[in-house]
Amino acid sequence: MRRIVLLSAVLLVSAPWLSAQATPKAKPKPKSATLHWGPAPAVFPTGARMAVVSGDPSKSGTFSIQLSMPDGYRIAPHFHPTDEIVEVKKGTFLVGMGDTFSAANAKPMKVGDKGTVPAQMHHFATAKGATIVAVTAVGPFALTYVNPADNPQKAAAAK
């Protein structure tokens, strides 16, 4: 009986060490300090730049991007098939809901502000000052303009 108690005590004391040895901790992957910026996709008006933070916006699954916009940059009323989470990283992002662009009805989001735009919700935005927003959503990314004439891709194709 004494041997069983002693053996049990040894196993209990060594169990955490054994499990720690059996499954070494993975080293965290280093994060790139610099995002790789390029022109935003053609569905956005000219002038914005975009960087992919994680995931792949063209594929199924969660992705995060950052969108950099110059002062006065406007995105006409549009909607997405999935929810999107928006966080302001720099500047002021004015966001409004509805089918008609109205700067007077847009609400300011300042640095650190975060919000969710539900799937299919018609909304529009403009940048006040140089502005960067982080957007997280589920791909593949899609943006549909309420008024098809607002789509920069259609305007470019008509030229």
Side-chain angles (χ1 to χ4, degrees):
M1 179 72 168
R2 189 171 176 185
R3 284 185 187 173
I4 293 173
V5 170
L6 182 58
L7 181 58
S8 296
V10 168
L11 287 174
L12 285 173
V13 169
S14 63
W17 181 83
L18 290 172
S19 65
Q21 295 300 314
T23 55
K25 291 183 180 179
K27 293 181 182 177
K29 293 181 181 179
K31 282 205 166 215
S32 173
T34 306
L35 294 174
H36 299 286
W37 292 91
V43 72
F44 289 98
T46 304
R49 301 193 43 82
M50 189 177 96
V52 176
V53 177
S54 66
D56 183 341
S58 70
K59 296 182 178 171
S60 292
T62 303
F63 68 87
S64 292
I65 58 103
Q66 288 193 16
L67 188 67
S68 176
M69 301 160 282
D71 183 35
Y73 186 83
R74 289 174 44 150
I75 304 173
H78 65 280
F79 58 94
H80 308 279
T82 62
D83 294 352
E84 66 177 356
I85 299 167
V86 178
E87 181 178 4
V88 180
K89 298 291 192 175
K90 175 182 176 182
T92 301
F93 195 51
L94 300 163
V95 180
M97 301 299 159
D99 292 347
T100 305
F101 190 96
S102 170
N105 292 331
K107 305 290 184 223
M109 292 179 71
K110 299 191 180 284
V111 173
D113 287 349
K114 195 175 193 178
T116 299
V117 180
Q120 307 302 323
M121 175 68 72
H122 294 192
H123 60 286
F124 54 87
T126 190
K128 185 175 177 186
T131 300
I132 298 175
V133 295
V135 178
T136 301
V138 175
F141 173 80
L143 184 155
T144 303
Y145 286 95
V146 173
N147 178 355
D150 289 332
N151 186 337
Q153 293 171 303
K154 302 229 189 253
K159 289 181 182 181

